[in-house]
Amino acid sequence: MAFKNLATFVSIAAALTGTNAALTRRVACPDGKNTATNAACCQLFAVRDDLQQNMFHGGQCTAEAHEALRLTFHDAIAISPALEAQGKFGGGGADGSIAIFSEIETAFHPNIGLDEVVALEKPFIARHNLSVADFIQFAGAIGVSNCPGAPQLAAFVGRKDATQPAPDGLVPEPFHTPDQIFDRMADASQGEFDPILTVWLLTAHTVAAANDVDPTKSGLPFDSTPNLWDTQFFVETQLRGTSFPGKGGNQGEVESPLAGEMRLQSDHTIARDSRTACEWQSFVDNQPKAQAMFQFVFHDLSIFGQNIDELVDCTEVVPIPPPPQGRTHLPAGMTHNDIEQACADTPFPTLPIDPGPKTAVAPV
């Protein structure tokens, strides 16, 4: 079903691109510089430029970009049709509640640390005429556009802002089991996000880092190339863990293979789960897949709880990210024998080994 949906999405996108090119007249924006296919998108050019200059350091794939992407997920995933079926409020999904009710929601355990990026984004929200819900998702898309190798992510305007905070317990934790995570994703997406699409969504960890899993360390990347959108994350999560980057013994953390690198328990277990291991391995050295699959799932995640028929697609405002850099490899000091292969169907790809002393990962 997931692949059928993806094929349909790509086909429709291609058809619309051709149709727009032939039939759509562009609108001149009030700034006198830009044009758009819909006047509602004009306001985003100023927001984009402000974000790039004043939040993302002139268009860099920095920690602020990583956290902006993380915030998109933590806002959008907070929706539960299962709770609604019980007569309880189930959250509004991508409705901005994590920022509108930040004193409540950033205190939830899985949201620890997000108070910083929320505080960073609030002045931007205050000076632009954009809903909080739209701003959170747009900022995440702009942040990712600065990461070499990333896909161009969807941007919509017209989301309705939250009128009450989401309930606690809707954001997956790194110590949750695969079953708990898969069930949560299926509930939030009304069955669309199965275990395979959950793997696609975890591609985001290629530019992610942990700030609060280990309270003694911050900015610990999940792979050795945290400023590149590549497939190293899928390689390095399958390497045998040998040590902790900090004191260890933290809930939701398991041993990692490289000094300075954080490995989440949830990434470790999903990479080795029989339902997802081969899909996980299929991302290794497959840059087009790492781009296309995340582009697909972000599109849908970013509108959880919203009516797409009431939204305007403004993806054209999101910059095309820089091309991929580097090559997929085994980190220096590692060999193929360090791979803990969990996929029984296909051999692990043969990769070059970086030369030099054993790789150590710097914090971001």
Side-chain angles (χ1 to χ4, degrees):
M1 178 64 72
F3 292 98
K4 181 179 178 182
N5 288 345
L6 176 60
T8 301
F9 172 78
V10 173
S11 298
I12 291 173
L16 288 176
T17 298
T19 301
N20 285 342
L23 302 177
T24 303
R25 180 175 297 174
R26 297 186 67 81
V27 176
C29 294
D31 62 10
K33 299 184 299 182
N34 296 291
T35 63
T37 55
N38 191 301
C41 301
C42 286
Q43 62 183 319
L44 293 182
F45 289 106
V47 183
R48 178 194 68 188
D49 295 346
D50 192 8
L51 282 168
Q52 290 288 60
Q53 185 62 37
N54 299 307
M55 183 170 173
F56 300 133
H57 306 282
Q60 301 297 312
C61 185
T62 57
E64 290 81 4
H66 307 165
E67 287 298 287
L69 177 61
R70 181 186 175 212
L71 189 65
T72 67
F73 173 75
H74 284 247
D75 189 47
I77 197 63
I79 184 170
S80 175
L83 285 179
E84 295 285 348
Q86 299 171 24
K88 304 174 183 177
F89 177 61
D95 63 357
S97 65
I98 197 168
I100 296 169
F101 302 99
S102 57
E103 291 186 3
I104 296 173
E105 291 195 34
T106 62
F108 297 162
H109 188 268
N111 295 339
I112 290 175
L114 285 173
D115 57 314
E116 295 180 7
V117 68
V118 169
L120 191 62
E121 291 189 0
K122 279 189 173 182
F124 293 87
I125 294 170
R127 63 178 175 257
H128 293 287
N129 185 27
L130 199 63
S131 74
V132 178
D134 286 344
F135 183 89
I136 287 174
Q137 300 301 321
F138 184 66
I142 297 302
V144 168
S145 77
N146 297 321
C147 303
Q152 182 190 37
L153 298 182
F156 293 93
V157 295
R159 294 177 185 83
K160 296 177 180 177
D161 275 346
T163 57
Q164 58 182 309
D168 197 2
L170 298 183
V171 181
E173 298 260 28
F175 53 81
H176 284 166
T177 66
D179 280 344
Q180 288 176 300
I181 294 171
F182 297 155
D183 288 348
R184 177 79 278 275
M185 297 305 300
D187 175 29
S189 64
Q190 300 186 71
E192 180 191 359
F193 279 47
D194 59 11
I196 298 301
L197 267 70
T198 300
V199 172
W200 297 2
L201 187 64
L202 287 170
T203 306
H205 283 184
T206 185
V207 292
N211 288 324
D212 298 285
V213 174
D214 184 338
T216 69
K217 299 280 186 177
S218 64
L220 296 173
F222 298 153
D223 74 8
S224 59
T225 56
N227 296 329
L228 300 177
W229 192 281
D230 56 18
T231 66
Q232 282 303 121
F233 168 71
F234 291 100
V235 175
E236 293 169 24
T237 45
Q238 294 183 81
L239 291 169
R240 185 176 299 108
T242 56
S243 64
F244 295 101
K247 66 182 182 66
N250 301 296
Q251 188 179 40
E253 181 189 12
V254 298
E255 289 182 322
S256 66
L258 303 175
E261 183 174 284
M262 166 71 70
R263 179 178 291 177
L264 299 182
Q265 177 184 319
S266 51
D267 289 339
H268 177 89
T269 53
I270 292 174
R272 290 159 177 76
D273 189 280
S274 61
R275 294 164 289 183
T276 47
C278 289
E279 185 64 16
W280 195 279
Q281 181 180 292
S282 74
F283 277 84
V284 173
D285 200 23
N286 193 340
Q287 184 70 21
K289 185 169 187 174
Q291 295 171 323
M293 301 304 106
F294 188 77
Q295 184 182 53
F296 173 68
V297 292
F298 181 85
H299 173 279
D300 288 7
L301 174 77
S302 73
I303 55 174
F304 276 5
Q306 303 286 338
N307 181 353
I308 193 171
D309 294 332
E310 297 176 355
L311 306 180
V312 177
D313 188 342
C314 297
T315 303
E316 63 186 298
V317 180
V318 179
I320 301 295
Q325 294 180 8
R327 62 179 184 175
T328 307
H329 58 273
L330 291 174
M334 298 287 165
T335 72
H336 194 277
N337 292 332
D338 293 306
I339 295 291
E340 293 181 330
Q341 185 175 2
C343 175
D345 295 346
T346 56
F348 194 86
T350 300
L351 301 174
I353 301 173
D354 262 11
K358 188 172 182 179
T359 299
V361 183
V364 295

